[in-house]
Amino acid sequence: VSGTTVTLVTTGTCTINADQSGDSNYSAATQVARSFTVLGTLAITTPNSGLSGTYGASYSLSISTSGGAGSNSFALASGSLPGGVTLNSSTGTISGTPTATGSFAITVRVTDANSTTATTSSFTITISQASQTITFNALGNRTKTAGTDTFTVSATSSSSLAVAFTSATTSICTVSGTTVTLVTTGTCTINADQSGDSNYSAATQVARSFTVLGT
């Protein structure tokens, strides 16, 4: 303090004392102290976690701030969040279960309790494809008869996407759709595949073998 001019040096609590020492007619006044908080410039810092997520999995991203009055209001200034994900205007938490994959460029704006708008901050959230697995039960041995021998196979994927079947041993057996045709005796191997889509990556192939017996 110099005269009536207060100079702010850094952030923190500033206390100013007011005194009147009196004169020949008045005794000294009781000192009066007034304190206030010196705030830093309100700003959005880099999100502290969770810039990447996965389709269909619970997602949470915290946006932290520095400076300001401490009671902040968050808003999306531009861009769009992944489907199924929202921004909490009070806590600055972006959360939900993503229903889309890809990169989402967003700009977030924060306003403090004094209605001072911070410089907006832009960043990118990346939601990746989810993994998936195939359930394909073991196949029992079969007997090849003189006629055309066929049977059907089935398998499921954790993504609920359709599973495709192929024969790895076409000289022994062939596959059309879900129908397996026995060609001759030997070891037949059937492959189950799910190639994925925009939300799911390809599943690891599952192979099942069985013996084709003669009569």
Side-chain angles (χ1 to χ4, degrees), residues 50-146:
L51 283 172
S52 298
T54 304
Y55 171 83
S58 180
Y59 181 82
S60 183
L61 165 63
S62 298
I63 300 173
S64 54
T65 62
S66 62
S71 178
N72 300 320
S73 176
F74 297 82
L76 196 64
S78 67
S80 60
L81 293 169
V85 175
T86 58
L87 169 63
N88 186 306
S89 61
S90 298
T91 65
T93 301
I94 296 174
S95 61
T97 301
T99 59
T101 60
S103 294
F104 301 84
I106 63 172
T107 300
V108 174
R109 181 183 65 250
V110 62
T111 304
D112 70 13
N114 294 326
S115 298
T116 301
T117 302
T119 301
T120 55
S121 181
S122 299
F123 51 94
T124 300
I125 295 173
T126 301
I127 303 299
S128 301
Q129 292 170 305
S131 60
Q132 59 170 326
T133 57
I134 293 172
T135 300
F136 185 19
N137 294 331
L139 300 174
N141 294 338
R142 295 273 172 166
T143 299
K144 175 73 174 75
T145 64

Side-chain angles (χ1 to χ4, degrees), residues 23-49:
D23 60 8
S24 59
N25 297 318
Y26 289 93
S27 59
T30 300
Q31 184 182 79
V32 176
R34 292 291 181 260
S35 298
F36 62 93
T37 300
V38 181
L39 304 170
T41 301
L42 179 62
I44 301 174
T45 58
T46 302
N48 56 34
S49 64

Side-chain angles (χ1 to χ4, degrees), residues 132-136 153-168 175 177-178 189-197 201-208:
Q132 59 170 326
T133 57
I134 293 172
T135 300
F136 185 19
V153 290
S154 63
T156 59
S157 67
S158 59
S159 65
S160 297
L161 296 172
V163 175
F165 300 95
T166 57
S167 171
V175 180
T178 61
T189 299
I190 305 297
N191 295 327
D193 293 277
Q194 212 310 305
S195 58
D197 61 8
S201 58
T204 300
Q205 184 182 80
V206 177
R208 293 287 182 255

